[in-house]
Amino acid sequence: MMLEVASTITQAWIDELAQAMEANTHCSVPRRISKILSASSVEMLLTRATAVLKKEKTLVRRAPSMDVEEIIVVGDTHGQYHDVLKLFSLAGAPSAKRMFVFNGDFVDRGAWGVETLLLLLSHKLRAPEEFMIIRGNHETEFCTECYGFERELSVKYGKTAGRVLYPAFLALCAAMPLACVIQDTTLILHGGLFRAAGMKKHDAMHNPRLGSLNDLEKASKGGADPVGEGRSMIAGDVLWSDPIAEDGLRHNEARGIGIQFGPAQTREFLQAENLKLIIRSHEGPDARHDRPEMPSIMSGFCVDHDCGDAGKLCTLFSAPNYPQFIDVDDLRHHNTASFAILKPESNWCEPEIVSFDAVPRPPSACYYEIDLGGSDCEGPESDIRPHEPLHVDVGEGDEGARWKEDELTHKLKLVHEDDE
């Protein structure tokens, strides 16, 4: 059954697509998804969603109308399509009364990143104001090269179509906003806090200052592959940073990109911006297993920094029994997942947490080398990339020798080695 993408996407069409894709996951031939939604239809969804996302700023501000009864915030889902379907069955479908914010890392690691992405994009196109998609560190060229999504696209739609769809996917990533503020009280972003704009390279590394929402609002979205320096510094920080137990603001040596920030820095940021809640994601049970000094994320939710009257910083993770694939010697965590509900009665800043277990998964292929490890231990400048990046020029933000800024237009131009 081949579905056609209409000019107006309806909830009935989304339901039909979701059910057809779920049934197809029980098939032993992943490429049969192309019999449900053709490569040209996938490209159309990617292109239309990119156009919508390009209109959104780096920092999106939402003031829910009186009709909105709740906002559902979702953490990492990592291609675990069946668990995403369960989440929607528990939370309900997006509507004028129920907004959604998906906080990044929709793809990679799980076997159904394509299905998860197509479902979320369909919801975004049906209700662009009510359905928010925030970028995670896995919505980048580096991570999708290393952790499966690039190969998954090629397997499910063929290498020829994959060469068209993957750059279109990277253009989509480059258009995604980095953060969302709800009613001026709650900030939602994937990794964490970020450094101030305009610092010299040495100061940014060795004497960093905390950034502001004004810095974030004016920042580049980071391009296809934010490396965390220059124009993509703030994007790299937002996507890759982590909270720590002790006070301080320092380079994130563990990941090689972004920063680590302590409770004092969270308090400073909350008070400076008049916020009461920060929801971030980015760390699952594997990452927290390697950081025992931090609160456990085994339930899918934890408070990392409780700053009293100033507010809180929390981690939200929505992929149960994560990761889907583990190496023979790795620990299976059997974690539950959670989503958060924000309501107007608490001024959108007191999350109600709903936890859920994993859905039994059909047999499936793993699209990456699982000996890369369970956590993102290295950023985009590491040597674990399977091949040289495409360097697709999809927006400002990518730094290094391959980019040069035009003095008149201030746009970044790709510089080939032969030109240097």
Side-chain angles (χ1 to χ4, degrees):
M1 176 190 64
M2 184 75 76
L3 294 177
E4 299 293 332
V5 181
S7 57
T8 300
I9 292 178
T10 65
Q11 186 61 51
W13 187 88
I14 294 174
D15 292 341
E16 187 177 5
L17 173 66
Q19 292 169 12
M21 291 194 300
E22 195 283 331
N24 188 68
T25 64
H26 298 273
C27 156
S28 60
V29 184
R31 192 164 181 177
R32 285 186 184 169
I33 190 176
S34 63
K35 304 298 183 183
I36 298 171
L37 208 61
S38 68
S40 60
S41 292
V42 172
E43 184 182 7
M44 184 184 302
L45 284 177
L46 290 168
T47 302
R48 286 172 58 180
T50 299
V52 171
L53 292 167
K54 277 185 175 181
K55 297 176 183 178
E56 297 180 349
K57 295 182 178 180
T58 304
L59 172 64
V60 177
R61 296 182 182 270
R62 284 287 186 269
S65 70
M66 297 291 290
D67 294 331
V68 178
E69 297 177 356
E70 58 185 15
I71 298 176
I72 309 297
V73 186
V74 182
D76 298 30
T77 52
H78 279 298
Q80 296 184 192
Y81 180 66
H82 307 84
D83 300 316
V84 173
L85 293 179
K86 182 174 182 178
L87 187 152
F88 277 119
S89 72
L90 293 170
S95 68
K97 294 183 178 181
R98 182 183 299 113
M99 295 174 62
F100 274 79
V101 181
F102 272 75
N103 195 25
D105 282 13
F106 324 118
V107 302
D108 282 344
R109 295 243 171 78
W112 303 285
V114 168
E115 288 83 351
T116 301
L117 181 68
L118 293 177
L119 179 63
L120 300 188
L121 295 186
S122 299
H123 279 299
K124 180 65 179 177
L125 289 172
R126 188 190 73 82
E129 294 297 316
E130 290 80 29
F131 197 89
M132 292 293 303
I133 293 177
I134 304 296
R135 189 179 192 178
N137 64 300
H138 279 264
E139 281 71 55
T140 61
E141 185 178 2
F142 164 70
C143 279
T144 51
E145 284 177 1
C146 295
Y147 294 102
F149 185 72
E150 180 188 23
R151 184 163 182 262
E152 182 188 347
L153 263 180
S154 180
V155 168
K156 291 182 177 178
Y157 280 95
K159 290 184 178 180
T160 300
R163 294 189 187 101
V164 175
L165 295 179
Y166 186 59
F169 165 75
L170 294 180
L172 174 85
C173 295
M176 291 180 184
L178 300 181
C180 176
V181 170
I182 304 295
Q183 199 63 43
D184 295 326
T185 61
T186 294
L187 172 66
I188 303 167
L189 72 179
H190 183 73
L193 299 184
F194 47 92
R195 288 167 287 184
M199 286 189 295
K200 294 182 179 179
K201 187 174 182 178
H202 180 273
D203 290 336
M205 180 66 69
H206 301 289
N207 188 30
R209 290 182 289 106
L210 202 58
S212 66
L213 289 182
N214 186 54
D215 290 329
L216 180 55
E217 202 157 25
K218 295 178 180 179
S220 162
K221 291 180 177 179
D225 213 15
V227 297
E229 297 178 356
R231 296 173 70 91
S232 72
M233 180 189 72
I234 289 178
D237 286 356
V238 169
L239 299 182
W240 288 90
S241 293
D242 294 300
I244 51 177
E246 67 274 15
D247 293 340
L249 186 67
R250 65 196 187 203
H251 178 61
N252 196 338
E253 296 288 348
R255 297 187 188 268
I257 183 173
I259 58 171
Q260 294 179 323
F261 57 96
Q265 286 63 48
T266 295
R267 175 184 288 273
E268 175 187 343
F269 188 87
L270 288 166
Q271 291 177 330
E273 303 294 345
N274 293 313
L275 296 169
K276 287 298 180 183
L277 178 66
I278 300 173
I279 298 178
R280 46 94 62 176
S281 299
H282 193 39
E283 289 185 284
D286 51 347
R288 283 294 165 96
H289 181 264
D290 297 332
R291 300 211 298 151
E293 73 280 6
M294 295 298 293
S296 170
I297 194 66
M298 286 294 290
S299 70
F301 177 83
C302 65
V303 177
D304 294 321
H305 295 160
D306 188 341
C307 302
D309 292 341
K312 297 177 181 179
L313 178 133
C314 307
T315 295
L316 179 68
F317 196 77
S318 303
N321 197 14
Y322 173 87
Q324 180 178 353
F325 303 101
I326 60 172
D327 209 350
V328 289
D329 297 325
D330 285 349
L331 174 67
R332 170 67 69 183
H333 295 280
H334 297 287
N335 62 294
T336 56
S338 292
F339 59 88
I341 305 175
L342 305 178
K343 293 186 175 181
E345 295 84 355
S346 57
N347 202 23
W348 309 104
C349 61
E350 293 290 340
E352 299 177 13
I353 305 303
V354 178
S355 297
F356 61 100
D357 294 318
V359 175
R361 298 163 183 157
S364 56
C366 180
Y367 296 108
Y368 67 101
E369 299 297 329
I370 57 176
D371 59 2
L372 284 177
S375 182
D376 304 323
C377 54
E378 300 179 82
E381 292 300 290
S382 72
D383 59 2
I384 67 172
R385 302 185 89 126
H387 54 73
E388 286 298 307
L390 296 177
H391 304 330
V392 178
D393 187 359
V394 293
E396 296 184 359
D398 296 27
E399 291 298 316
R402 61 183 185 270
W403 295 102
K404 184 176 181 181
E405 184 175 10
D406 185 277
E407 293 181 359
L408 295 178
T409 65
H410 300 290
K411 291 185 177 181
L412 299 180
K413 178 183 178 182
L414 181 62
V415 178
H416 299 279
E417 291 183 4
D418 296 341
D419 298 334
E420 295 179 338

